[in-house]
Each structure stands twice: as structure tokens, then as C-alpha cells.
């Protein structure tokens, strides 16, 4: 039962960064998911997949895993590439295509 410790990425549907400041601990699946033959739903008998723990810092998550004897893997977050843009850039002469009505 290995645990993943990571910072979740921001929601693609919104511009805010809520729920991305805390570290999250999820367990790796021990058993593969199966397709239920009657309805076609995907199911699993592995209950650890439903557990998701949140911590304020990475060190808190690592301390929890070491205290409980859980092997863990840390996935470092990637910093988002920020593109500076100003409203005046819409009317700049260096614009690749001319601005028209």
C-alpha cells in the first residue's frame, strides 16, 4: 500500500487557485478496477482508493506516513508558466496580426 503525496493542480474550468495550497495524500490502487457486467459501471473492491487526506505542509504528510509506517512517494508541484499581458498589447505595433474591427 504505497501513498502519493502531491499538491493538486488548479481546476481547468476556473481561473482561481483554491484547493491547491494544501498537500494531498492518496493511496495507490492495490487491485485493478473492474467493469460490472450488468450495468457496465466501473467498480473496485479496494477501499483505500476512497481515502484522501489533506495536510497543510509536505512535512506533515511525510511525518504522518512515517509515523504510520506507510511507504510514500512525493510528487513535486510544477510552477505554472505565467505570461504577462497588458491591455495595451492589443494595440501594439509589434502585434503579429493587425487589429481590425
Amino acid at each position: 500500500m504505497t501513498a502519493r503525496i502531491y499538491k493538486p493542480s488548479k481546476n481547468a474550468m476556473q481561473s482561481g487557485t483554491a484547493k491547491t495550497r494544501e498537500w494531498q495524500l492518496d493511496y495507490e490502487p492495490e487491485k485493478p478496477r473492474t467493469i460490472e457486467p450488468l450495468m457496465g459501471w466501473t467498480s473496485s473492491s479496494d477501499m483505500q482508493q476512497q481515502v484522501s487526506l489533506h495536510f497543510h505542509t509536505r512535512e506533515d504528510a511525510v511525518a504522518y506516513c512515517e509515523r504510520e509506517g506507510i511507504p510514500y512517494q512525493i510528487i513535486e508541484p510544477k510552477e505554472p508558466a505565467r505570461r504577462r499581458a497588458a491591455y495595451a498589447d492589443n494595440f501594439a505595433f509589434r502585434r503579429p496580426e493587425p487589429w481590425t474591427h
Side-chain angles (χ1 to χ4, degrees):
M1 169 173 69
T2 305
R4 273 188 318 223
I5 299 173
Y6 64 97
K7 260 187 159 178
S9 60
K10 78 176 197 68
N11 186 352
M13 300 301 290
Q14 306 214 350
S15 61
T17 57
K19 299 182 182 179
T20 62
R21 291 177 178 81
E22 293 186 340
W23 289 81
Q24 188 169 342
L25 183 140
D26 290 335
Y27 291 101
E28 292 287 333
E30 292 181 357
K31 300 176 184 173
R33 294 179 183 240
T34 57
I35 297 176
E36 196 259 331
L38 181 62
M39 297 296 289
W41 295 340
T42 304
S43 65
S44 176
S45 60
D46 185 17
M47 293 296 130
Q48 292 290 349
Q49 290 181 1
Q50 298 177 7
V51 176
S52 179
L53 301 175
H54 298 275
F55 298 92
H56 291 293
T57 63
R58 177 178 63 183
E59 289 76 23
D60 290 344
V62 169
Y64 172 80
C65 287
E66 289 176 353
R67 184 176 63 240
E68 299 296 326
I70 301 169
Y72 60 91
Q73 170 188 4
I74 299 175
I75 301 171
E76 293 294 331
K78 296 178 184 171
E79 291 298 321
R82 300 286 181 190
R83 186 174 67 93
R84 296 194 66 191
Y87 180 70
D89 291 340
N90 292 333
F91 309 103
F93 287 111
R94 68 185 191 304
R95 186 175 169 90
E97 66 240 8
W99 182 81
T100 61
H101 291 297

